[in-house]
Amino acid sequence: MPSLRQYTAIFLLPSAFFGYALYANSTLLVNAASPAAQASERKDLSLSYVIDGEATRDLDSLYKNELPHRAASVGLFGNARYALLGAGRKGVIVGQDGWFFTAEEFKTVWTKDIDDAANRVASIKRDLETRGIRLVLAPLPAKSDLYAEEVPSFVRSSAMADAYSVFSAALEQRGIAVADTRAAMLTAKPFGEVFLKSDTHWSPAGARAAAEAIQSSLQKNGVTLPSQELTAQWQTPVSLWGDLTKFVTSPDYAPTVGLSEESVPIYRTAVNADASGADIFGDDASVPVMLVGTSYSANENWSFADFLRQSLRADVVNVAKEGLGPGVPMMDLLAGSALDETAPTVVVWEFPVRYLGTKTLWQREGDAKAEGGNV
C-alpha cells in the first residue's frame, strides 16, 4: 500500500504544478498582450490558421521559448517526483539505490520477431561468406536482466532473459557463431558493475567481459587471426551524466536528490605498426576484424573496440553507429564499400536484444514510414 508520504505527494505535486501553471500562463498572457509583443508578429486568426496546425505549432513554440522558469521547473518537479514517489518521467523505470532502466527493456519479445531476426542474420551471414568473411554475432543482454534484483518487483520479469536465450539458440540453429556475452558479464558482475547505474549502456567492465566472450567464440569456431603486438593504457576517467538521468530530473538539480555523474575509466589500445602488423598485411589497408553495431560499440567512452582489440590480439576497425539500433548499421555496411576497402577476415556484430521486435530494426524511421506507413 502507498505510504503516507506517497499519498501526500500524490495530492501535493498536482497542486503545486497547477499553481505554477496558473502563474506561468498568466505571465505568458501579460507578455503576449504587451505592445512590443503585438508589434513583433501579428497572426491572421483565420480558420485555416487553426486547421492547418500553425496555431498549435506557434503555441508549442511559445511555451518552449517563453515559459518562465522552464529549466528550473523541470528540475524541481523532477526532484520532487523522484524524492517523494521514487519515479521519473515516461521512458524510465526507477529501481533501487539509484539504478535506472529504460522502459524499452520491459516488453515481451515474440517468437516470430526472434525468428524473423535470426533468418535475416542468417541471410547476412551467407552474404558475408561469399566475400570470404566470417560472422560472429554478440547478442547483448538487457540491463534489467543482469540487474533484476534492482528492478521494482511490480515490473520485474524474465522477458529479456528469455529473449536472449531464445535468440541465441535460434542463431546457433542456423549455423551462426554466437558469443555468450550474458554468461561472461554475469561472471564479471561480482567484481564490478557491468552496466552504468544511470545509463542504458554497459560499463567498461561489461564491455571487457563481452570482448573476452567474443574471443572465446572465435576460438570455439576455429577462427584464428594473426597475432599482432599492441600497446595499451588506462587513461583519465571521464565524468558524465547517465542518459537516463534526464528522464528523472535535470543535471543541475540532480545532486540535491543524491544523484551524481558516472565516472567512466577509459582504456585505449593500438596496434604497434613497427612490429608484426605491417609485415603481415603488407602495404594494403586490410584490417582483420571489423566491428559493427550500436552506441555500445560506437561510443568510445565504453572502450569496447579497444577491449576487443586486446582480447583478439588483432586490429579492429569500428564502423558502429549511434542512434540507429543494430540492424541499420549492418545494412549500411553491406550497401557501402567499407568491406571491400578493408577486407576483414571477421565481422563482429554487437546486437542488444532489447531491439528485437522494433519496427525500425532494419531500416531508418523515415524509410519505414515511406514503405509501410507505420513507425
Side-chain angles (χ1 to χ4, degrees):
M1 292 183 61
S3 64
L4 178 61
R5 184 185 71 173
Q6 290 174 319
Y7 273 124
T8 303
I10 288 171
F11 292 102
L12 181 60
L13 286 178
S15 300
F17 173 79
F18 285 115
Y20 169 75
L22 179 62
Y23 162 73
N25 281 282
S26 65
T27 304
L28 281 176
L29 289 173
V30 171
N31 291 340
S34 67
Q38 293 179 17
S40 63
E41 184 175 7
R42 296 183 180 274
K43 290 292 183 182
D44 177 18
L45 299 179
S46 63
L47 184 62
S48 63
Y49 173 61
V50 177
I51 293 176
D52 293 342
E54 190 176 355
T56 301
R57 290 192 296 272
D58 286 348
L59 185 61
D60 180 65
S61 177
L62 177 65
Y63 270 85
K64 286 182 177 179
N65 297 327
E66 303 296 336
L67 189 63
H69 321 302
R70 181 175 182 271
S73 65
V74 169
L76 291 173
F77 279 110
N79 278 12
R81 180 177 51 221
Y82 176 68
L84 296 173
L85 299 178
R89 301 204 317 269
K90 182 179 180 181
V92 68
I93 301 295
V94 175
Q96 309 296 323
D97 302 322
W99 282 89
F100 300 154
F101 302 87
T102 173
E104 294 175 351
E105 296 184 352
F106 297 86
K107 65 180 182 180
T108 299
V109 181
W110 304 109
T111 302
K112 180 183 183 301
D113 293 327
I114 291 176
D115 286 339
D116 288 346
N119 287 335
R120 178 69 72 99
V121 174
S123 175
I124 291 169
K125 171 182 176 287
R126 291 190 293 270
D127 189 342
L128 291 173
E129 286 177 339
T130 62
R131 307 173 189 233
I133 302 170
R134 298 287 297 271
L135 172 68
V136 58
L137 196 133
L140 301 189
K143 178 180 176 180
S144 62
D145 169 19
L146 267 58
Y147 285 94
E149 70 276 10
E150 306 293 350
V151 175
S153 58
F154 66 92
V155 292
R156 192 179 302 163
S157 79
S158 63
M160 286 290 101
D162 295 341
Y164 181 95
S165 298
V166 176
F167 185 45
S168 297
L171 293 169
E172 290 177 340
Q173 289 170 2
R174 290 162 175 79
I176 298 161
V178 177
D180 191 355
T181 61
R182 183 176 187 271
M185 293 172 73
L186 283 173
T187 299
K189 180 181 171 183
F191 305 100
E193 293 167 357
V194 294
F195 273 94
L196 300 177
K197 293 181 70 172
S198 63
D199 201 279
T200 53
H201 297 93
W202 53 16
S203 68
R208 185 173 195 167
E212 292 170 354
I214 291 168
Q215 192 278 333
S216 297
S217 177
L218 288 175
Q219 187 176 28
K220 176 183 175 181
N221 286 275
V223 179
T224 57
L225 298 169
S227 181
Q228 298 177 269
E229 183 176 319
L230 305 176
T231 58
Q233 64 176 346
W234 287 99
Q235 297 184 351
T236 304
V238 299
S239 296
L240 54 86
W241 285 103
D243 59 9
L244 293 172
T245 301
K246 65 182 179 181
F247 289 93
V248 176
T249 185
S250 64
D252 289 340
Y253 290 84
T256 63
V257 286
L259 302 178
S260 59
E261 291 180 291
E262 302 275 3
S263 179
V264 182
I266 304 297
Y267 193 68
R268 290 291 176 259
T269 57
V271 172
N272 186 349
D274 295 331
S276 58
D279 295 331
I280 291 174
F281 298 105
D283 295 329
D284 63 18
S286 297
V287 175
V289 180
M290 180 171 283
L291 172 62
V292 61
T294 69
S295 54
Y296 285 79
S297 298
N299 192 323
E300 294 187 351
N301 285 332
W302 323 137
S303 304
F304 181 49
D306 296 277
F307 287 123
L308 189 60
R309 197 174 287 116
Q310 181 188 55
S311 294
L312 302 181
R313 305 301 300 177
D315 202 4
V316 175
V317 60
N318 189 357
V319 296
K321 298 180 179 180
E322 296 191 71
L324 296 173
V328 172
M330 174 58 84
M331 304 312 293
D332 288 349
L333 176 63
L334 294 174
S337 60
L339 287 172
D340 294 329
E341 293 170 354
T342 309
T345 302
V346 173
V347 166
V348 173
W349 189 1
E350 162 259 305
F351 196 120
V353 297
R354 67 184 174 91
Y355 286 98
L356 290 168
T358 58
K359 294 181 179 179
T360 53
L361 177 56
W362 303 109
Q363 54 193 349
R364 288 172 171 79
E365 185 175 353
D367 297 336
K369 288 180 179 178
E371 285 191 12
N374 295 315
V375 183

